[in-house]
């Protein structure tokens, strides 16, 4: 688990480059196929504006999905941290109850001694 920060940044950059390359290849593939495609109702070929709109929509939706996934990961991390805090507080509370009990027992013994005197 001792991978340094620079290695992680390099790995992230490498993965991001791979993603960008795959996305551009996908866009090229869609454009290539869309130019040859024929509209199912009209029987006419799709124009480049429609293809560009479709690709723009795909890119916006991809960014939206990425943003929502990132929010989900952040929320899951917050939930995990809160659960860990609750567990720590529960463990601390159990220990405090024992300490409180012991303190009350000692006080009870002292008071019983005073009563006997």
């Amino acid at each position: 688990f001792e991978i340094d920060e620079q290695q992680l940044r390099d790995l992230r950059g490498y993965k991001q480059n791979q993603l960008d390359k795959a996305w551009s290849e996908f866009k090229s593939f869609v454009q290539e196929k869309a130019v040859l495609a024929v509209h199912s109702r009209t029987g006419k070929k799709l124009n480049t504006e429609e293809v560009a709109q479709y690709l723009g929509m795909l890119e916006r939706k991809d960014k939206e999905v990425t943003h929502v996934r990132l929010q989900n990961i952040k929320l899951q991390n917050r939930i995990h941290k809160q659960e860990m805090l609750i567990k720590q507080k529960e463990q601390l509370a159990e220990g405090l109850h024992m300490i409180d009990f012991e303190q009350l027992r000692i006080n009870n013994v002292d008071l019983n001694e005073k009563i006997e005197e």
Side-chain angles (χ1 to χ4, degrees):
F1 295 138
E2 295 186 14
I3 299 175
D4 68 344
E5 189 175 337
Q6 187 60 39
Q7 286 176 331
L8 290 175
R9 285 184 184 166
D10 292 344
L11 180 62
R12 180 183 173 273
Y14 174 72
K15 293 290 185 179
Q16 187 65 43
N17 288 339
Q18 282 184 323
L19 177 68
D20 293 340
K21 182 180 176 185
W23 180 252
S24 64
E25 287 175 4
F26 175 72
K27 283 178 27 178
S28 298
F29 175 77
V30 169
Q31 280 181 327
E32 182 181 304
K33 296 301 176 185
V35 169
L36 302 174
V38 177
H39 197 281
S40 61
R41 293 184 188 166
T42 61
K44 296 180 182 177
K45 287 190 172 189
L46 298 175
N47 62 23
T48 56
E49 292 173 7
E50 290 174 330
V51 173
Q53 286 177 347
Y54 177 73
L55 287 174
M57 181 193 65
L58 275 179
E59 197 164 341
R60 283 191 305 277
K61 291 203 180 263
D62 184 56
K63 287 180 182 179
E64 183 180 351
V65 166
T66 302
H67 178 72
V68 170
R69 284 180 179 165
L70 184 60
Q71 282 181 328
N72 185 34
I73 290 169
K74 287 178 181 179
L75 290 173
Q76 285 177 343
N77 287 339
R78 283 181 57 194
I79 288 171
H80 181 70
K81 286 179 183 177
Q82 293 298 325
E83 287 174 348
M84 295 302 291
L85 285 173
I86 288 172
K87 285 181 182 179
Q88 287 176 352
K89 287 182 180 181
E90 286 176 354
Q91 290 175 351
L92 181 63
E94 290 173 6
L96 288 178
H97 289 306
M98 185 59 81
I99 292 171
D100 290 342
F101 176 75
E102 289 297 320
Q103 185 64 39
L104 289 173
R105 190 178 62 76
I106 291 170
N107 289 344
N108 193 21
V109 169
D110 290 343
L111 290 174
N112 283 337
E113 288 175 359
K114 285 183 182 177
I115 291 173
E116 288 178 7
E117 291 176 357

